[in-house]
């Protein structure tokens, strides 16, 4: 059957009816698998850069991604707003509104990616100076960072497509797109990293994300797609919908900026240590890559919790929303406990994958992994309940929680330790754990208040 003759697929109604555990798992496992695969791709990239360039290359990628994420998280905040609207309308079985919202998110993301490419290229040098990266790290990071900003379109489109399909209850399409992107990235980087060094990893990511984004956009123009850009639909920007995207998404963008600015200043504290390059390399591998085995899995559960909560609230089933978020957090705790055990039992083997044989870097990395084995339990609970809050439209609560737990507490502790004892890496690792524990406790408390039950979501009818 051709795409022209195919009938549009219908929304999965098991999300709002039937056993809650299987519904959560059907939403979560494709995203968890996709994120683990994407995390493994990052691990492969870091391992190759570590072997071909050295630990300065690892540090360069780590600090560059910290900067990129500050920008991307804010710009892509409209995807959270999109997810709130899409999940509500999918739960209420209103496909025409779903398609209109996703199309407006596509237009907005395309425009912002062009602006970001120009601004990011010019701003890259002062941004690297802001995080106090070592000179040798800055030399490797500058071309990588500039390339990633210029080629950001594909990554933005991938995030938009993945978020839209998850919100309507189809996590398998993002899984297929994500696996294709990961395979392509690894294939490109096997060639490009040995040829170009650290910046080769950026070239590989740009090529793969752009190809996958083009294919994904093509797919949603087909009638058989669950989300479908119809030929007859208005192609003009609808600023009422765009304002709604940012109404719900902007707090998440500010939240992301707050968290990543906290990360940037944390890197400044790491950069102030006696052996800053070694500590930055340990942080880049331990926190950015290995800890992603927990965080990326938990982000998958956060997406599942958001879809379950949003669709069930749209269908008038708030108690089912509560149960779904609880199930997601329980799954996350099991995964975090398993990965944390690996951090404690075999840290040498995990760090050796990245070519980390320098005794000082190895010691700092092992110490960090020991702290992260505990921190993972807190972050997975925090992310599951954050997903529940955001999916129902309560995006301001996570903003306030993140500012307190990811900025004020860890940075305040670093300032205290620096003044009272003289800052060392052990103090910074401890501050990370305390921040995550605070975020988990506040996220659970906010969700249990259930103020999200009364949040209204709607858009105006389409204009003829």
């Amino acid at each position: 059957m051709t795409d022209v003759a195919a009938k549009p697929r219908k929304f999965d109604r098991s999300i709002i009816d039937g056993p809650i555990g299987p519904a959560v798992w059907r939403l979560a496992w494709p995203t968890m698998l996709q994120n683990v695969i994407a995390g493994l791709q990052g691990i492969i990239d870091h391992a190759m850069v570590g072997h071909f360039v050295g630990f300065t290359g690892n540090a360069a990628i780590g600090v560059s991604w910290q900067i990129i994420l500050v920008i991307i998280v804010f710009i892509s905040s409209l995807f959270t707003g999109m997810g709130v609207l899409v999940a509500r309308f999918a739960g209420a079985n209103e496909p025409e509104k779903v398609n209109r919202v996703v199309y407006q998110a596509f237009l907005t993301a395309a425009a912002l990616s062009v602006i970001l490419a120009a601004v990011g290229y010019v701003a890259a040098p002062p941004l690297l100076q802001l995080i106090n990266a070592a000179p040798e790290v800055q030399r490797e990071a500058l071309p990588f960072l500039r390339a990633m900003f210029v080629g950001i379109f594909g990554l933005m489109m991938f995030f938009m497509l993945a978020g839209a399909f998850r919100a309507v209850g189809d996590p398998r399409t993002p899984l297929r797109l994500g696996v294709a992107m990961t395979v392509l990235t690894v294939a490109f980087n096997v060639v490009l990293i040995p040829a170009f060094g650290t910046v080769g990893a950026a070239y590989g990511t740009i090529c793969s994300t752009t190809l996958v984004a083009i294919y994904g956009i093509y797919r949603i123009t087909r009638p058989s797609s669950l989300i479908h850009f119809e030929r007859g639909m208005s192609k003009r920007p609808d600023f009422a919908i765009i304002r709604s995207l940012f109404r719900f998404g902007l707090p998440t963008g500010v939240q992301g900026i707050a968290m990543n600015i906290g990360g940037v200043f944390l890197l400044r504290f790491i950069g102030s240590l006696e052996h800053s390059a070694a500590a930055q390399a340990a942080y880049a591998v331990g926190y950015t890559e290995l800890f992603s085995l927990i965080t990326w899995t938990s982000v998958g559960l956060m997406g599942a919790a958001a879809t379950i909560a949003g669709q069930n609230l749209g269908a008038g089933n708030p108690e089912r929303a509560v149960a779904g978020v609880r199930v997601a957090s329980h799954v996350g705790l099991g995964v975090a406990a398993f990965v944390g055990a690996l951090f404690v039992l075999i840290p040498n083997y995990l760090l050796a994958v990245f070519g980390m044989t320098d005794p000082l870097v190895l010691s700092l990395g092992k110490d960090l992994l020991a702290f992260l084995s505990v921190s993972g339990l807190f972050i997975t609970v925090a992310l599951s309940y954050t997903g529940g809050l955001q999916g129902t439209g309560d995006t301001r609560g996570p903003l306030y929680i993140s500012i307190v737990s990811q900025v004020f507490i860890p940075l305040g502790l670093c300032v205290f330790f620096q003044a009272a004892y003289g800052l060392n890496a052990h103090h910074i690792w401890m501050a990370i754990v305390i921040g995550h524990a605070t975020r988990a406790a506040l996220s659970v408390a906010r969700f249990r208040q259930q103020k999200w039950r009364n949040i209204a979501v709607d858009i105006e009818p389409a204009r003829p």
Side-chain angles (χ1 to χ4, degrees), residues 394-415:
D394 182 3
T395 53
R396 292 188 179 182
L399 164 62
Y400 305 142
I401 290 168
S402 295
I403 290 174
V404 171
S405 64
Q406 304 302 113
V407 180
F408 290 161
I409 288 179
L411 298 183
L413 287 172
C414 286
V415 170

PDB file of all heavy atoms in Angstrom, residues 394-415:
ATOM      1  N   ASP A 394       2.482  21.982  34.238  1.00  0.00           N
ATOM      2  CA  ASP A 394       3.129  22.687  35.355  1.00  0.00           C
ATOM      3  C   ASP A 394       4.622  22.759  35.070  1.00  0.00           C
ATOM      4  O   ASP A 394       5.407  21.954  35.565  1.00  0.00           O
ATOM      5  CB  ASP A 394       2.861  21.962  36.678  1.00  0.00           C
ATOM      6  CG  ASP A 394       3.482  22.692  37.868  1.00  0.00           C
ATOM      7  OD1 ASP A 394       4.055  23.784  37.667  1.00  0.00           O
ATOM      8  OD2 ASP A 394       3.404  22.166  38.986  1.00  0.00           O
ATOM      9  N   THR A 395       5.022  23.711  34.241  1.00  0.00           N
ATOM     10  CA  THR A 395       6.426  23.852  33.888  1.00  0.00           C
ATOM     11  C   THR A 395       7.157  24.859  34.776  1.00  0.00           C
ATOM     12  O   THR A 395       8.390  24.930  34.747  1.00  0.00           O
ATOM     13  CB  THR A 395       6.566  24.287  32.418  1.00  0.00           C
ATOM     14  OG1 THR A 395       5.766  25.451  32.178  1.00  0.00           O
ATOM     15  CG2 THR A 395       6.086  23.170  31.496  1.00  0.00           C
ATOM     16  N   ARG A 396       6.414  25.612  35.569  1.00  0.00           N
ATOM     17  CA  ARG A 396       7.066  26.580  36.456  1.00  0.00           C
ATOM     18  C   ARG A 396       7.633  25.908  37.702  1.00  0.00           C
ATOM     19  O   ARG A 396       8.686  26.316  38.193  1.00  0.00           O
ATOM     20  CB  ARG A 396       6.074  27.670  36.858  1.00  0.00           C
ATOM     21  CG  ARG A 396       5.657  28.565  35.707  1.00  0.00           C
ATOM     22  CD  ARG A 396       4.821  29.742  36.174  1.00  0.00           C
ATOM     23  NE  ARG A 396       4.444  30.605  35.062  1.00  0.00           N
ATOM     24  CZ  ARG A 396       3.753  31.733  35.180  1.00  0.00           C
ATOM     25  NH1 ARG A 396       3.358  32.123  36.396  1.00  0.00           N
ATOM     26  NH2 ARG A 396       3.455  32.460  34.121  1.00  0.00           N
ATOM     27  N   GLY A 397       6.932  24.901  38.214  1.00  0.00           N
ATOM     28  CA  GLY A 397       7.434  24.207  39.399  1.00  0.00           C
ATOM     29  C   GLY A 397       8.831  23.652  39.202  1.00  0.00           C
ATOM     30  O   GLY A 397       9.738  23.920  40.009  1.00  0.00           O
ATOM     31  N   PRO A 398       9.083  22.871  38.130  1.00  0.00           N
ATOM     32  CA  PRO A 398      10.441  22.379  37.888  1.00  0.00           C
ATOM     33  C   PRO A 398      11.464  23.496  37.720  1.00  0.00           C
ATOM     34  O   PRO A 398      12.642  23.316  38.058  1.00  0.00           O
ATOM     35  CB  PRO A 398      10.279  21.573  36.589  1.00  0.00           C
ATOM     36  CG  PRO A 398       8.867  21.109  36.615  1.00  0.00           C
ATOM     37  CD  PRO A 398       8.100  22.245  37.228  1.00  0.00           C
ATOM     38  N   LEU A 399      11.041  24.650  37.182  1.00  0.00           N
ATOM     39  CA  LEU A 399      11.962  25.786  37.054  1.00  0.00           C
ATOM     40  C   LEU A 399      12.471  26.223  38.418  1.00  0.00           C
ATOM     41  O   LEU A 399      13.684  26.348  38.639  1.00  0.00           O
ATOM     42  CB  LEU A 399      11.246  26.950  36.358  1.00  0.00           C
ATOM     43  CG  LEU A 399      11.927  28.330  36.471  1.00  0.00           C
ATOM     44  CD1 LEU A 399      13.297  28.307  35.812  1.00  0.00           C
ATOM     45  CD2 LEU A 399      11.035  29.409  35.845  1.00  0.00           C
ATOM     46  N   TYR A 400      11.559  26.468  39.352  1.00  0.00           N
ATOM     47  CA  TYR A 400      11.966  26.921  40.685  1.00  0.00           C
ATOM     48  C   TYR A 400      12.818  25.864  41.391  1.00  0.00           C
ATOM     49  O   TYR A 400      13.821  26.180  42.054  1.00  0.00           O
ATOM     50  CB  TYR A 400      10.732  27.241  41.531  1.00  0.00           C
ATOM     51  CG  TYR A 400       9.795  28.248  40.897  1.00  0.00           C
ATOM     52  CD1 TYR A 400       8.413  28.110  41.016  1.00  0.00           C
ATOM     53  CD2 TYR A 400      10.289  29.331  40.178  1.00  0.00           C
ATOM     54  CE1 TYR A 400       7.548  29.025  40.434  1.00  0.00           C
ATOM     55  CE2 TYR A 400       9.425  30.250  39.589  1.00  0.00           C
ATOM     56  CZ  TYR A 400       8.064  30.087  39.712  1.00  0.00           C
ATOM     57  OH  TYR A 400       7.209  30.994  39.126  1.00  0.00           O
ATOM     58  N   ILE A 401      12.413  24.615  41.221  1.00  0.00           N
ATOM     59  CA  ILE A 401      13.152  23.521  41.861  1.00  0.00           C
ATOM     60  C   ILE A 401      14.577  23.442  41.321  1.00  0.00           C
ATOM     61  O   ILE A 401      15.542  23.263  42.073  1.00  0.00           O
ATOM     62  CB  ILE A 401      12.407  22.186  41.656  1.00  0.00           C
ATOM     63  CG1 ILE A 401      11.115  22.176  42.467  1.00  0.00           C
ATOM     64  CG2 ILE A 401      13.291  20.998  42.043  1.00  0.00           C
ATOM     65  CD1 ILE A 401      10.169  21.045  42.110  1.00  0.00           C
ATOM     66  N   SER A 402      14.733  23.587  40.013  1.00  0.00           N
ATOM     67  CA  SER A 402      16.058  23.484  39.405  1.00  0.00           C
ATOM     68  C   SER A 402      16.972  24.624  39.826  1.00  0.00           C
ATOM     69  O   SER A 402      18.170  24.420  40.038  1.00  0.00           O
ATOM     70  CB  SER A 402      15.931  23.447  37.876  1.00  0.00           C
ATOM     71  OG  SER A 402      15.269  22.283  37.458  1.00  0.00           O
ATOM     72  N   ILE A 403      16.417  25.820  39.922  1.00  0.00           N
ATOM     73  CA  ILE A 403      17.246  26.953  40.341  1.00  0.00           C
ATOM     74  C   ILE A 403      17.799  26.723  41.745  1.00  0.00           C
ATOM     75  O   ILE A 403      18.984  26.975  42.023  1.00  0.00           O
ATOM     76  CB  ILE A 403      16.425  28.261  40.282  1.00  0.00           C
ATOM     77  CG1 ILE A 403      16.138  28.626  38.824  1.00  0.00           C
ATOM     78  CG2 ILE A 403      17.170  29.391  40.988  1.00  0.00           C
ATOM     79  CD1 ILE A 403      15.222  29.815  38.662  1.00  0.00           C
ATOM     80  N   VAL A 404      16.943  26.202  42.629  1.00  0.00           N
ATOM     81  CA  VAL A 404      17.390  25.944  44.003  1.00  0.00           C
ATOM     82  C   VAL A 404      18.388  24.792  44.057  1.00  0.00           C
ATOM     83  O   VAL A 404      19.474  24.906  44.647  1.00  0.00           O
ATOM     84  CB  VAL A 404      16.178  25.639  44.917  1.00  0.00           C
ATOM     85  CG1 VAL A 404      16.649  25.149  46.286  1.00  0.00           C
ATOM     86  CG2 VAL A 404      15.302  26.869  45.072  1.00  0.00           C
ATOM     87  N   SER A 405      18.026  23.675  43.412  1.00  0.00           N
ATOM     88  CA  SER A 405      18.797  22.438  43.599  1.00  0.00           C
ATOM     89  C   SER A 405      20.011  22.316  42.697  1.00  0.00           C
ATOM     90  O   SER A 405      20.989  21.647  43.060  1.00  0.00           O
ATOM     91  CB  SER A 405      17.888  21.225  43.379  1.00  0.00           C
ATOM     92  OG  SER A 405      17.427  21.173  42.040  1.00  0.00           O
ATOM     93  N   GLN A 406      19.973  22.936  41.505  1.00  0.00           N
ATOM     94  CA  GLN A 406      21.071  22.765  40.554  1.00  0.00           C
ATOM     95  C   GLN A 406      21.957  23.995  40.432  1.00  0.00           C
ATOM     96  O   GLN A 406      22.991  23.927  39.763  1.00  0.00           O
ATOM     97  CB  GLN A 406      20.513  22.407  39.175  1.00  0.00           C
ATOM     98  CG  GLN A 406      19.623  21.176  39.159  1.00  0.00           C
ATOM     99  CD  GLN A 406      20.328  19.930  39.672  1.00  0.00           C
ATOM    100  OE1 GLN A 406      19.978  19.391  40.714  1.00  0.00           O
ATOM    101  NE2 GLN A 406      21.348  19.477  38.965  1.00  0.00           N
ATOM    102  N   VAL A 407      21.554  25.101  41.050  1.00  0.00           N
ATOM    103  CA  VAL A 407      22.379  26.313  40.986  1.00  0.00           C
ATOM    104  C   VAL A 407      22.782  26.750  42.388  1.00  0.00           C
ATOM    105  O   VAL A 407      23.966  26.719  42.755  1.00  0.00           O
ATOM    106  CB  VAL A 407      21.640  27.460  40.256  1.00  0.00           C
ATOM    107  CG1 VAL A 407      22.522  28.712  40.205  1.00  0.00           C
ATOM    108  CG2 VAL A 407      21.251  27.034  38.842  1.00  0.00           C
ATOM    109  N   PHE A 408      21.801  27.157  43.191  1.00  0.00           N
ATOM    110  CA  PHE A 408      22.124  27.732  44.497  1.00  0.00           C
ATOM    111  C   PHE A 408      22.857  26.743  45.404  1.00  0.00           C
ATOM    112  O   PHE A 408      23.875  27.090  46.013  1.00  0.00           O
ATOM    113  CB  PHE A 408      20.853  28.217  45.192  1.00  0.00           C
ATOM    114  CG  PHE A 408      20.233  29.424  44.565  1.00  0.00           C
ATOM    115  CD1 PHE A 408      18.909  29.753  44.807  1.00  0.00           C
ATOM    116  CD2 PHE A 408      20.969  30.249  43.728  1.00  0.00           C
ATOM    117  CE1 PHE A 408      18.322  30.872  44.232  1.00  0.00           C
ATOM    118  CE2 PHE A 408      20.396  31.370  43.139  1.00  0.00           C
ATOM    119  CZ  PHE A 408      19.072  31.671  43.390  1.00  0.00           C
ATOM    120  N   ILE A 409      22.341  25.521  45.495  1.00  0.00           N
ATOM    121  CA  ILE A 409      22.932  24.575  46.450  1.00  0.00           C
ATOM    122  C   ILE A 409      24.326  24.107  46.034  1.00  0.00           C
ATOM    123  O   ILE A 409      25.288  24.260  46.808  1.00  0.00           O
ATOM    124  CB  ILE A 409      21.979  23.385  46.691  1.00  0.00           C
ATOM    125  CG1 ILE A 409      20.781  23.851  47.525  1.00  0.00           C
ATOM    126  CG2 ILE A 409      22.692  22.232  47.389  1.00  0.00           C
ATOM    127  CD1 ILE A 409      19.760  22.786  47.803  1.00  0.00           C
ATOM    128  N   PRO A 410      24.533  23.535  44.828  1.00  0.00           N
ATOM    129  CA  PRO A 410      25.883  23.057  44.508  1.00  0.00           C
ATOM    130  C   PRO A 410      26.916  24.173  44.406  1.00  0.00           C
ATOM    131  O   PRO A 410      28.045  24.028  44.906  1.00  0.00           O
ATOM    132  CB  PRO A 410      25.711  22.327  43.167  1.00  0.00           C
ATOM    133  CG  PRO A 410      24.436  22.825  42.605  1.00  0.00           C
ATOM    134  CD  PRO A 410      23.563  23.170  43.763  1.00  0.00           C
ATOM    135  N   LEU A 411      26.533  25.295  43.783  1.00  0.00           N
ATOM    136  CA  LEU A 411      27.504  26.387  43.672  1.00  0.00           C
ATOM    137  C   LEU A 411      27.764  27.029  45.029  1.00  0.00           C
ATOM    138  O   LEU A 411      28.900  27.409  45.345  1.00  0.00           O
ATOM    139  CB  LEU A 411      27.016  27.431  42.671  1.00  0.00           C
ATOM    140  CG  LEU A 411      26.840  26.956  41.228  1.00  0.00           C
ATOM    141  CD1 LEU A 411      26.432  28.112  40.331  1.00  0.00           C
ATOM    142  CD2 LEU A 411      28.110  26.298  40.710  1.00  0.00           C
ATOM    143  N   GLY A 412      26.710  27.140  45.839  1.00  0.00           N
ATOM    144  CA  GLY A 412      26.906  27.673  47.185  1.00  0.00           C
ATOM    145  C   GLY A 412      27.827  26.807  48.018  1.00  0.00           C
ATOM    146  O   GLY A 412      28.673  27.317  48.768  1.00  0.00           O
ATOM    147  N   LEU A 413      27.665  25.491  47.890  1.00  0.00           N
ATOM    148  CA  LEU A 413      28.557  24.584  48.613  1.00  0.00           C
ATOM    149  C   LEU A 413      30.000  24.722  48.142  1.00  0.00           C
ATOM    150  O   LEU A 413      30.939  24.668  48.950  1.00  0.00           O
ATOM    151  CB  LEU A 413      28.079  23.138  48.438  1.00  0.00           C
ATOM    152  CG  LEU A 413      26.816  22.758  49.212  1.00  0.00           C
ATOM    153  CD1 LEU A 413      26.334  21.369  48.795  1.00  0.00           C
ATOM    154  CD2 LEU A 413      27.089  22.780  50.719  1.00  0.00           C
ATOM    155  N   CYS A 414      30.194  24.885  46.815  1.00  0.00           N
ATOM    156  CA  CYS A 414      31.561  25.049  46.309  1.00  0.00           C
ATOM    157  C   CYS A 414      32.195  26.326  46.848  1.00  0.00           C
ATOM    158  O   CYS A 414      33.388  26.332  47.212  1.00  0.00           O
ATOM    159  CB  CYS A 414      31.547  25.072  44.779  1.00  0.00           C
ATOM    160  SG  CYS A 414      31.263  23.462  44.009  1.00  0.00           S
ATOM    161  N   VAL A 415      31.412  27.403  46.896  1.00  0.00           N
ATOM    162  CA  VAL A 415      31.932  28.656  47.458  1.00  0.00           C
ATOM    163  C   VAL A 415      32.303  28.463  48.926  1.00  0.00           C
ATOM    164  O   VAL A 415      33.366  28.922  49.391  1.00  0.00           O
ATOM    165  CB  VAL A 415      30.886  29.783  47.312  1.00  0.00           C
ATOM    166  CG1 VAL A 415      31.316  31.021  48.102  1.00  0.00           C
ATOM    167  CG2 VAL A 415      30.682  30.138  45.848  1.00  0.00           C
TER     168      VAL A 415
END
